[in-house]
Amino acid sequence: MPSLSEETGDRKTMLMPGDTIGIVGGGQLGRMMALSARYMGFKVGVLDPTPNCPTAQVADFQVTAEYDDVTAIRELAVRSDVLTYEFENVNADAIDEVRGLAAAPQGTDLLRVTQDRVNEKQFINDHGTPTAPWKAVNNFEELDAALDDIHYPAVLKTRSGGYDGHGQTVLRSDADLEKIRARSDRGGGFPPSILEGFVDFAFEASILVCGNGKDYVTFPIVRNEHRNNILHMTIAPAEVSEHVAREAHELAIRLAKGFELAGTLAIELFITPDDRVIVNELAPRPHNSGHYTIEACSFDQFDAHIRGIAGWPLSQPKLLSPAVMVNVLGQHVEPTRALIGEHPEWNVHDYGKAEVRHDRKMGHITVLTDDTARTVAELEATGCWDDLKEA
């Protein structure tokens, strides 16, 4: 087993093939991390409450327990050389407790920042990067004061938890505010929250930055299209000015250095009509919008993540082909499977989830192309995603 620092649990040497990577979380991101790790010769364990979860299907072993089960996290650490995670809502204290048993190259500062939207916004601003205007709010008096500064429209979000639009409420008028008050009166309470002003953006984008704790590289900036608060499609690369591409790269490197990043960090962006780049959110892991990298880049976001946490060197990834990635939600499984035989250009990814549910991410399709606009039109013309068409 590679040596660990007695003081911090940080790894002193690089991981080598045959060492074990423990992943907290067994969904599709963990599955794709595990596949990359296996290609590099690492063994893989996973902690997840669902037996034979997507990651376990390609891993060496599974610890079947809840994510906050400290005993289970300790078991995973004992059987691993390095711990990583596929989502933000990991018990940071539990990770700290086992850092003498297995290295945690990503650290827990990254978790604690990205688990709390106020901490996240403050970190981003402290590193010279703009966000939407925001205020921390813990009660209705603070919310009223924040609205006086930020004005309608605004978005009220819980400080922690929430994904794909959960834990968020758009406030456009006093009528929307009264709905929040009524919900609180019915026992919903007022959880610690953040109020964010609306950004007048031309489109949403994202950029991936990867590091090994000292060196950092970025993938191209991409354009994202959301439907019902869920990522629908990613177009790579985004058609942006040199200024926007440079600013996105520079802010990504600034934030990565601030975290002394090991692994992959996804940065969700707003691009304004006047070419300003504003950070929306951070994800301390590989990201849905980076799935195109599997086919389209010289190495993908999961390879970069594994190399980063293993302490391996990183080279600047190259975009080998423009690409379009589209999510396959539960309602899209049957129609897309029915058309696989007609589309040799589709790179089909299935996540191995046992239960198909409406709006659940079940897989994705990536198409390499010389004309992303044409490819977007061709994908939409199949009718597989008609339920997501905007009114």
Side-chain angles (χ1 to χ4, degrees), residues 39-344:
Y39 275 124
M40 296 179 201
F42 298 118
K43 297 176 183 176
V44 177
V46 59
L47 168 64
D48 195 272
T50 303
N52 199 37
C53 61
T55 306
Q57 295 165 21
V58 298
D60 293 279
F61 67 90
Q62 177 176 2
V63 178
T64 305
E66 296 296 329
Y67 304 124
D68 59 355
D69 186 324
V70 176
T71 300
I73 291 176
R74 175 171 288 272
E75 179 184 347
L76 182 68
V78 166
R79 300 175 68 179
S80 304
D81 296 290
V82 157
L83 294 182
T84 187
Y85 38 81
E86 69 144 14
F87 60 93
E88 294 89 312
N89 297 319
V90 175
N91 187 327
D93 291 338
I95 298 293
D96 278 338
E97 287 182 17
V98 299
R99 288 177 72 176
L101 302 172
Q106 293 163 276
T108 49
D109 289 346
L110 178 63
L111 275 178
R112 290 188 171 93
V113 167
T114 55
Q115 284 174 347
D116 185 306
R117 288 189 170 98
V118 170
N119 292 345
E120 182 177 86
K121 287 289 193 295
Q122 191 65 62
F123 182 92
I124 294 167
N125 293 159
D126 286 347
H127 286 80
T129 303
T131 60
W134 61 273
K135 294 282 187 180
V137 292
N138 299 297
N139 51 54
F140 283 108
E141 290 76 15
E142 291 181 0
L143 177 57
D144 288 338
L147 281 168
D148 287 342
D149 287 338
I150 292 175
H151 309 296
Y152 295 118
V155 184
L156 183 66
K157 302 178 180 180
T158 55
R159 283 184 66 153
S160 61
Y163 63 94
D164 291 343
H166 297 284
Q168 302 184 21
T169 303
V170 176
L171 302 178
R172 299 184 184 277
S173 66
D174 287 347
D176 292 325
L177 182 60
E178 289 309 310
K179 292 178 183 177
I180 299 291
R181 294 185 190 278
R183 188 170 65 197
S184 178
D185 291 342
R186 292 196 299 269
F190 195 106
S193 302
I194 184 172
L195 185 74
E196 297 180 16
F198 263 33
V199 174
D200 179 21
F201 60 87
F203 61 92
E204 295 175 88
S206 59
I207 189 168
L208 301 170
V209 59
C210 308
N212 58 15
K214 57 182 180 179
D215 300 313
Y216 309 99
V217 299
T218 61
F219 286 85
I221 183 173
V222 298
R223 178 173 180 140
N224 297 322
E225 302 289 341
H226 289 81
R227 299 287 184 271
N228 302 327
N229 294 313
I230 301 173
L231 181 65
H232 169 50
M233 184 176 287
T234 294
I235 301 164
E239 293 185 8
V240 296
S241 66
E242 289 185 12
H243 163 75
V244 166
R246 182 175 62 254
E247 179 59 26
H249 165 79
E250 290 176 354
L251 72 83
I253 297 296
R254 283 199 305 272
L255 294 175
K257 288 180 177 179
F259 285 119
E260 296 184 354
L261 179 69
T264 295
L265 172 71
I267 305 171
E268 298 181 41
L269 306 167
F270 295 128
I271 310 301
T272 69
D274 59 352
D275 268 5
R276 288 182 298 129
V277 182
I278 296 174
V279 174
N280 180 25
E281 292 183 346
L282 307 178
R285 50 166 171 78
H287 192 259
N288 194 172
S289 68
H291 291 347
Y292 77 94
T293 61
I294 297 172
E295 282 84 22
C297 293
S298 52
F299 60 91
D300 65 51
Q301 64 168 339
F302 302 100
D303 298 332
H305 182 78
I306 297 301
R307 291 183 70 95
I309 65 171
W312 288 16
L314 293 165
S315 63
Q316 177 61 41
K318 297 177 181 177
L319 182 67
L320 303 177
S321 170
V324 177
M325 187 285 301
V326 61
N327 272 326
V328 176
L329 305 181
Q331 62 268 34
H332 309 137
V333 170
E334 287 191 12
T336 54
R337 286 183 178 177
L339 292 179
I340 287 174
E342 300 176 24
H343 291 279

